[in-house]
Amino acid sequence: MERIRERLKNKSTCAETVKLRKRKSKLYESHAGTLREDFLGINVFVFSVAFRLINCLLVQTSFVPDEYWQSLEVSHRMVFNYGYLTWEWTEGIRGYSYPLVFAVIYKVLHILNYDVALLLVWLPRFLQALLAAYTDVKLYMMIRNLENPDVAKLTYFSQLCSWFTWYCCTRTLTNTTETMLTVLALCYYPLPGSKTHNSSKYLTLVALAVIVRPTALIVWLPLLAFHFWKNNSKLRLIIHHGLPIVALSLGLSTLIDSLFHGQWVLVHWNFLKLNVFHNVAEFYGSHPWHWYFTQGFLVVLGPHVLFFLHGCSLAAKRYKILLFTIAWTLVVYSLLAHKEFRFIYPILPLCIIFCGKSLASLTAWRKPAMCFLLVTNLVPALYTGLVHQRGTLDVMGHLEALCDPTTSKSSRPQVLFLMPCHSTPFYSHVHCPLSMRFLECPPDLAGDGSIEDEADVFYADPLAWLRRTFPLQESLPSHLVFFDVLEKEISAFLESNAFIKQSEIFHTHIPEGRVGESIFIYTRKH
């Protein structure tokens, strides 16, 4: 009996801990685990937020006037009762829903007495950066649900590498928000195999995108038609989802627009009537029909174009509708005379999906391909974000220094911008009722020649315009702001009226036409 007890005692001390085999089958994975996915060892959401905030800080240049004049300048006027409204607002073709978001930020700052120019400029952009980060995460999650984790991470990598996304995603452009809402809506769109399909959510996001920018409907028309065609309960889709969302969004946006316009107005109809039927957009320039195919699309995609084309050849059947949407959008925008890179920004994330598929298929050449994407996008991203066209923003910092509430009314500075119209931001970037004037360029909507382009008249004969506009010394502004290419033409006026150069601000290495390498600030000696 003693021997048996001894043997049992020895067995218990020598026993090893039994380790259970970890099951590798996907059947045992938790779907919620995708929320804890990481990138480079960091939680994907945390990484996205940090990345886009850094992105925001490293974009210090201007792109197009609309990022200020159709958003921040309007918001500034809504809250502080001074600011400039362009002709689009007086004609009722722009909606107040988008500027209202920034106006809320401005109002909170005003209430807290923190409404300084620095915060008025950067807080809206930080908001855009956070929305961009959320969009990056949702794009990753969408592909994670449709494909394997490898494809999802490579799509996410492609999205972060895109130089044009870096350049645009933190700007206060309606195109930027339209693009982000398009991606978010796509996450709930019923693509074959999607596990996150929700008709109400995606239709609501599409409606918001159309409110922000009516042209969002161009991208979504084939997708909406495809959903309707494939849906087995068409009547239910229309009655339970489509009509209530359209009615609510259109009604709410019309109410907001009418309230701030001061009269009942249907912005979306006015936008369609002037930009499509009357082709007013052509006033701001036109391009040949093939421009998007030969230049625009290639520039927006950048180095990604090689991987996009390769990814198209690998695309599964469920992605064919996305390819059709990309082609459809390019064709429709090609029919319009006025073309810009930013107009096709909403289809860039769709192209990125195919880039992720391409990278995932390159098993042997994946690392070199990823390095190629990173390096070739990094250079244009940093150059366009930090160097190209930064002068028109930097000059506003110099002008902000002129704001002094203690200055008497008779000695307050008066600034005249002798530049192509809307070259710089305006009151949203100085935040004081400084007397400022620029050369206006509203289109002649009546077509009877009653409205002239002041900028064109000025540049036809700058010296004559200045002498005609300021016949007396007392009427002269205290400061002139213009590009260096104009200096020689108006030098006689500057000398005869005792103007001296105060500042020279770098703008671009690529001057073109009326836009020079530098911006000069001339001040008048008293």
Side-chain angles (χ1 to χ4, degrees):
M1 197 70 183
E2 287 295 329
R3 287 180 181 177
I4 294 172
R5 287 176 182 169
E6 188 69 18
R7 287 175 64 185
L8 288 172
K9 187 178 179 181
N10 290 337
K11 272 190 175 184
S12 64
T13 55
C14 296
E16 293 182 358
T17 305
V18 177
K19 294 183 179 179
L20 296 175
R21 179 173 63 87
K22 185 178 179 180
R23 296 183 184 270
K24 295 182 179 180
S25 171
K26 290 187 178 181
L27 293 172
Y28 296 92
E29 288 183 3
S30 169
H31 177 67
T34 56
L35 296 173
R36 297 189 293 274
E37 290 286 345
D38 59 27
F39 186 76
L40 299 179
I42 305 172
N43 176 275
V44 70
F45 184 77
V46 174
F47 186 90
S48 296
V49 170
F51 183 84
R52 289 306 178 196
L53 287 176
I54 294 171
N55 180 174
C56 182
L57 293 171
L58 293 181
V59 174
Q60 303 170 14
T61 55
S62 62
F63 181 19
V64 289
D66 279 10
E67 61 185 300
Y68 317 112
W69 293 88
Q70 307 300 346
S71 55
L72 300 185
E73 187 67 20
V74 181
S75 304
H76 192 276
R77 184 182 177 89
M78 291 168 72
V79 176
F80 302 107
N81 298 319
Y82 66 95
Y84 188 92
L85 294 182
T86 59
W87 69 271
E88 291 97 332
W89 296 91
T90 56
E91 294 295 327
I93 71 168
R94 297 284 185 179
Y96 278 92
S97 299
Y98 183 61
L100 184 60
V101 175
F102 304 129
V104 170
I105 296 175
Y106 285 2
K107 189 64 179 179
V108 171
L109 289 174
H110 181 57
I111 293 171
L112 298 176
N113 203 27
Y114 280 104
D115 54 314
V116 294
L118 183 69
L119 293 179
L120 295 180
V121 171
W122 283 99
L123 279 188
R125 291 200 54 209
F126 285 154
L127 178 64
Q128 293 291 113
L130 293 175
L131 182 57
Y134 181 66
T135 303
D136 293 338
V137 174
K138 291 297 287 184
L139 179 63
Y140 167 79
M141 297 298 290
M142 182 184 79
I143 304 302
R144 179 70 175 79
N145 287 322
L146 290 170
E147 303 284 347
N148 59 60
D150 200 33
V151 177
K153 287 188 177 181
L154 290 169
T155 302
Y156 179 71
F157 172 80
S158 299
Q159 170 76 352
L160 298 188
C161 279
S162 171
W163 82 270
F164 196 77
T165 299
W166 173 280
Y167 185 56
C168 290
C169 74
T170 63
R171 296 183 184 275
T172 51
L173 278 166
T174 53
N175 309 86
T176 296
T177 304
E178 173 197 358
T179 301
M180 294 176 188
L181 290 171
T182 294
V183 174
L184 295 177
L186 200 62
C187 293
Y188 299 104
Y189 181 78
L191 279 174
S194 173
K195 301 171 186 175
T196 56
H197 165 227
N198 187 309
S199 293
S200 294
K201 285 185 179 180
Y202 105 78
L203 288 172
T204 300
L205 289 164
V206 171
L208 287 175
V210 173
I211 288 172
V212 170
R213 191 167 179 85
T215 51
L217 200 56
I218 293 174
V219 176
W220 277 98
L221 270 177
L223 291 164
L224 292 169
F226 181 75
H227 181 202
F228 182 77
W229 177 49
K230 288 286 187 179
N231 195 278
N232 294 323
S233 305
K234 292 179 174 57
L235 190 62
R236 187 176 185 277
L237 179 65
I238 293 172
I239 296 176
H240 286 219
H241 300 288
L243 287 179
I245 290 171
V246 170
L248 183 62
S249 58
L250 187 62
L252 189 59
S253 64
T254 300
L255 186 64
I256 292 171
D257 294 335
S258 300
L259 180 65
F260 286 101
H261 277 291
Q263 60 182 351
W264 286 105
V265 60
L266 197 58
V267 165
H268 296 81
W269 166 246
N270 292 340
F271 183 91
L272 183 70
K273 181 175 64 175
L274 286 174
N275 282 300
V276 178
F277 299 149
H278 296 291
N279 204 18
V280 172
E282 191 175 357
F283 175 79
Y284 293 102
S286 60
H287 295 82
W289 68 268
H290 56 76
W291 185 81
Y292 281 121
F293 294 98
T294 56
Q295 296 182 53
F297 187 59
L298 300 178
V299 170
V300 170
L301 264 182
H304 283 69
V305 69
L306 300 173
F307 302 94
F308 168 70
L309 294 173
H310 180 230
C312 290
S313 66
L314 305 171
K317 186 178 179 181
R318 65 179 165 212
Y319 294 124
K320 298 297 183 183
I321 182 59
L322 298 185
L323 281 176
F324 180 81
T325 300
I326 293 167
W328 159 271
T329 304
L330 290 173
V331 169
V332 172
Y333 273 116
S334 294
L335 298 176
L336 304 176
H338 182 59
K339 299 174 177 67
E340 294 186 38
F341 295 114
R342 63 190 174 105
F343 291 170
I344 58 171
Y345 179 28
I347 62 172
L348 178 57
L350 277 64
C351 299
I352 293 295
I353 294 172
F354 297 97
C355 295
K357 290 286 290 182
S358 172
L359 286 174
S361 71
L362 300 174
T363 51
W365 291 89
R366 183 180 297 176
K367 285 187 178 179
M370 292 173 70
C371 289
F372 170 80
L373 262 187
L374 183 61
V375 173
T376 53
N377 278 279
L378 186 63
V379 173
L382 292 178
Y383 180 76
T384 56
L386 293 171
V387 181
H388 181 58
Q389 294 185 171
R390 67 170 298 130
T392 50
L393 287 180
D394 292 342
V395 73
M396 300 312 290
H398 287 72
L399 297 178
E400 187 194 350
L402 300 177
C403 297
D404 185 357
T406 61
T407 307
S408 62
K409 191 174 182 179
S410 59
S411 58
R412 284 179 186 172
Q414 296 177 319
V415 181
L416 173 62
F417 294 89
L418 297 174
M419 312 167 83
C421 63
H422 311 306
S423 290
T424 68
F426 218 48
Y427 287 107
S428 63
H429 281 57
V430 295
H431 190 49
C432 70
L434 198 63
S435 177
M436 299 193 295
R437 181 190 168 190
F438 64 94
L439 303 173
E440 298 192 23
C441 56
D444 184 12
L445 298 177
D448 56 6
S450 58
I451 297 178
E452 63 180 12
D453 187 322
E454 190 178 25
D456 282 345
V457 174
F458 168 76
Y459 279 104
D461 192 341
L463 197 57
W465 186 91
L466 285 168
R467 287 171 175 166
R468 184 171 63 252
T469 307
F470 304 105
L472 303 173
Q473 291 275 334
E474 293 77 16
S475 62
L476 287 169
S478 61
H479 292 74
L480 296 177
V481 182
F482 53 87
F483 286 109
D484 54 2
V485 292
L486 189 64
E487 186 181 38
K488 188 176 180 180
E489 287 190 70
I490 63 171
S491 58
F493 177 84
L494 298 173
E495 291 172 9
S496 62
N497 290 287
F499 279 98
I500 58 170
K501 188 188 296 185
Q502 178 186 355
S503 303
E504 179 175 345
I505 302 155
F506 169 78
H507 180 61
T508 180
H509 291 118
I510 313 169
E512 183 182 4
R514 298 171 179 176
V515 177
E517 286 189 23
S518 302
I519 298 173
F520 294 157
I521 300 178
Y522 269 74
T523 184
R524 187 163 171 259
K525 290 190 296 184
H526 295 286

